Amino acid sequence: MVDHNQFRIKKLAYKWIQGTCTPEEEVELQEWYETSDGEPLPIPEELATDEQQLKELLFLHIKQEIQASKIKRIPKWVKLSGIAAALALLFILPLYLVKRTTEDSPQVAVKTQEQVHPGIKAAVLTLADGTKIDLSAQQQSVLHQDEQVKVITTASGTVQYQFTASKNTDTSRTNTIETPIGTEYTIILADGSKVWLNAGSVLTFPESFSSNSREVKLSGEAYFEVSHDSKRPFYVRSNEQTIRVFGTHFNVSSYPNENNKTTLIAGSVQVSQFGKSKMLKPGQAAFTTAGNLIVAEANIEEAMAWRNGIFYFESTPIKDALAAIKRWYNVDVVYKGTNLKRELTGKIKRNSTAKELVETLNFLDIKCQLRNNKIEVEL
């Protein structure tokens, strides 16, 4: 029997019920099921009125399955269906219980749903003259037009800059697009380059690029697809880091008070910081740590996760993981305890409700609760 630790099996069980197990992981999970001695979980009807008691029962059952040491043959479909029922109830039944107990605490339930929710597609665009435009309405329209620039939004909710070639173009006119906490947005720059902005980000860019270079400034996180132009190199400046682009797809994470990280998906970039420069190949990342610029193999799935609607955590320090959640849900996080070395591994859908988010974090062994528009975490 393969030796599996408790966290590994809980992680696989979570992925299995979400339908995200790889074929190899499913074989591993099934092997464990076949050699453990658990039985399908019976749910007494009287427990369906007590959410906390039910949750404790479900977790106890899963832990008992994981910790079982005696080998006892049980039909695989019976064991899988039993665990599936337990895990499904863990996520689904609490929502049912909220409906059943609405008469007892309607105000609390409504308050939670109204104040804590996943992010939306929205941004604020600031033009060169200081005019601010709200981009939360997803409809096709012309936002601004003059002799130099036409700014439109598409039906899919993307802001796009369009220009007429002119020698008299004023490249000093700077615009800014900002995605406040709890929002994300996409912009197509004057040269056709496309930028996806994550929550809590600011991109500063000229209305039109000069004849010899293209340069933007970023604070936060963004994914770039840069249009090729051999005559005009593209630069991204983020905090103390400068990225020179040679036509490529890459992700930049550069939030204030967090380490910079540039992950290359395709093409080639040169990352400069601390007086040093590093060339990246596809599948590599450059990041800062202890005042040094390091290049290492990248986890592409992790770098692309936010664009694909997922939180991806792989042995991520708990504070870094919850900082990302805080930005997307626009919710305060309160820590209780001193175990700041805790790490989080797992995937969470970014469109999960706040309640589903907290339930999933608890399942991933991060004990927390949603209270008064805050996530309280015990470390």
Side-chain angles (χ1 to χ4, degrees):
M1 178 178 177
V2 179
D3 181 24
H4 296 292
N5 62 51
Q6 178 176 346
F7 179 77
R8 172 66 177 171
I9 293 302
K10 288 184 70 176
K11 177 183 175 182
L12 291 179
Y14 164 73
K15 292 183 68 175
W16 186 79
I17 195 64
Q18 293 288 312
T20 59
C21 267
T22 65
E24 293 78 12
E25 289 172 334
E26 189 168 349
V27 168
E28 181 182 350
L29 186 60
Q30 289 176 351
E31 177 186 348
W32 174 78
Y33 283 146
E34 289 179 345
T35 55
S36 65
D37 64 348
E39 296 286 353
L41 174 66
I43 303 294
E45 183 177 353
E46 60 270 18
L47 287 183
T49 60
D50 189 329
E51 179 179 358
Q52 186 59 37
Q53 191 174 0
L54 175 62
K55 286 169 60 179
E56 291 174 359
L57 176 63
L58 293 172
F59 275 115
L60 177 62
H61 175 71
I62 294 171
K63 289 180 179 179
Q64 287 174 341
E65 285 276 354
I66 293 170
Q67 295 167 350
S69 59
K70 296 180 180 180
I71 298 177
K72 179 181 178 182
R73 285 287 173 182
I74 297 174
K76 180 165 57 179
W77 69 269
V78 174
K79 299 180 67 58
L80 289 175
S81 62
I83 295 296
L87 291 171
L89 283 170
L90 179 64
F91 290 102
I92 298 171
L93 195 51
L95 301 178
Y96 166 72
L97 291 174
V98 168
K99 294 180 180 179
R100 290 195 58 174
T101 57
T102 299
E103 295 182 359
D104 297 329
S105 57
Q107 295 181 350
V108 174
V110 171
K111 182 177 180 180
T112 297
Q113 291 298 318
E114 286 182 351
Q115 295 190 10
V116 182
H117 51 74
I120 61 174
K121 198 162 190 175
V124 176
L125 178 67
T126 303
L127 302 179
D129 63 2
T131 301
K132 293 184 180 296
I133 302 174
D134 182 2
L135 300 177
S136 59
Q138 294 188 24
Q139 59 184 14
Q140 189 168 1
S141 62
V142 177
L143 302 177
H144 174 77
Q145 185 171 5
D146 57 28
E147 70 284 353
Q148 178 175 317
V149 61
K150 181 178 182 181
V151 185
I152 66 171
T153 52
T154 66
S156 61
T158 298
V159 63
Q160 182 173 1
Y161 278 66
Q162 299 176 343
F163 295 91
T164 301
S166 172
K167 294 182 180 181
N168 298 321
T169 298
D170 181 6
T171 59
S172 65
R173 299 204 322 189
T174 300
N175 287 194
T176 299
I177 184 170
E178 177 181 2
T179 47
I181 299 299
T183 68
E184 63 180 8
Y185 210 78
T186 307
I187 180 172
I188 300 176
L189 302 176
D191 66 336
S193 295
K194 197 170 184 179
V195 186
W196 288 259
L197 291 168
N198 202 353
S201 302
V202 179
L203 183 73
T204 303
F205 56 96
E207 287 186 349
S208 64
F209 294 108
S210 68
S211 59
N212 54 15
S213 68
R214 298 168 289 169
E215 181 177 322
V216 300
K217 295 180 180 179
L218 171 69
S219 174
E221 184 169 23
Y223 181 82
F224 290 81
E225 288 187 0
V226 176
S227 295
H228 178 70
D229 187 339
S230 58
K231 296 182 180 180
R232 297 188 299 172
F234 194 103
Y235 295 90
V236 179
R237 303 195 186 277
S238 58
N239 292 335
E240 299 177 353
Q241 193 173 88
T242 299
I243 304 160
R244 180 172 179 174
V245 184
F246 298 92
T248 187
H249 297 188
F250 60 101
N251 191 79
V252 180
S253 180
S254 181
Y255 286 105
N257 303 317
E258 296 184 19
N259 290 332
N260 292 347
K261 186 175 183 179
T262 299
T263 305
L264 182 63
I265 312 301
S268 178
V269 298
Q270 180 185 57
V271 180
S272 301
Q273 192 173 7
F274 308 124
K276 299 179 179 179
S277 295
K278 304 280 188 179
M279 291 295 298
L280 297 187
K281 298 177 181 179
Q284 291 184 329
F287 56 91
T288 55
T289 179
N292 294 313
L293 181 62
I294 307 297
V295 173
E297 293 302 308
N299 186 329
I300 299 301
E301 184 180 1
E302 179 182 13
M304 295 287 291
W306 72 269
R307 259 208 63 201
N308 295 328
I310 298 173
F311 289 109
Y312 183 107
F313 304 117
E314 185 69 39
S315 299
T316 305
I318 187 62
K319 281 206 166 184
D320 291 347
L322 290 174
I325 289 173
K326 177 180 178 179
R327 281 191 292 266
W328 184 237
Y329 282 84
N330 192 18
V331 62
D332 291 331
V333 177
V334 178
Y335 296 95
K336 296 182 178 180
T338 58
N339 187 13
L340 299 181
K341 294 183 178 180
R342 285 289 305 277
E343 295 180 339
L344 176 60
T345 295
K347 298 179 184 179
I348 305 174
K349 293 180 179 179
R350 278 164 64 100
N351 64 357
S352 299
T353 66
K355 185 174 181 61
E356 290 168 342
L357 169 71
V358 171
E359 293 287 350
T360 305
L361 287 172
N362 275 287
F363 183 76
L364 295 173
D365 286 337
I366 303 300
K367 190 175 182 181
C368 60
Q369 61 180 331
L370 184 63
R371 179 183 295 175
N372 298 326
N373 201 32
K374 298 178 182 179
I375 296 178
E376 297 180 354
V377 183
E378 295 185 22
L379 298 177

